[in-house]
Amino acid sequence: MYYNDWSYCKAIEFKKFHYYKCKNIPLLELYLYSNSGLLKAITNYNGKSNFTNYAKLYVKGELHKGLTELYPICSISKKE
């Protein structure tokens, strides 16, 4: 529960950084992807490094995954 606000802030930062791509994506959707990355980081954390730096990679990856799913750049499917 401690890192929920942190993941929300990361979603806000991501939306501000990618303003043009994310202007039609609600912040709540990005927050859900951010929380998904946080949960993956919590389950895979081994305790050998700083958790914030470790979780940042997972959260950023899930946000980019969400951006790919919610705002496709081209008409070709992502599988191709």
Side-chain angles (χ1 to χ4, degrees), residues 19 30 35 37-38 42 49-50 54-55 65 71 73 75 80:
Y19 170 73
L30 293 175
N35 269 348
L38 180 63
I42 289 170
S49 63
N50 185 3
Y54 184 79
K65 178 182 171 186
Y71 183 77
I73 294 173
S75 60
E80 295 176 3

Side-chain angles (χ1 to χ4, degrees), residues 27-44:
L27 185 59
L28 183 62
E29 290 282 335
L30 293 175
Y31 177 58
L32 292 174
Y33 281 102
S34 178
N35 269 348
S36 173
L38 180 63
L39 288 175
K40 286 182 181 180
I42 289 170
T43 56
N44 294 330

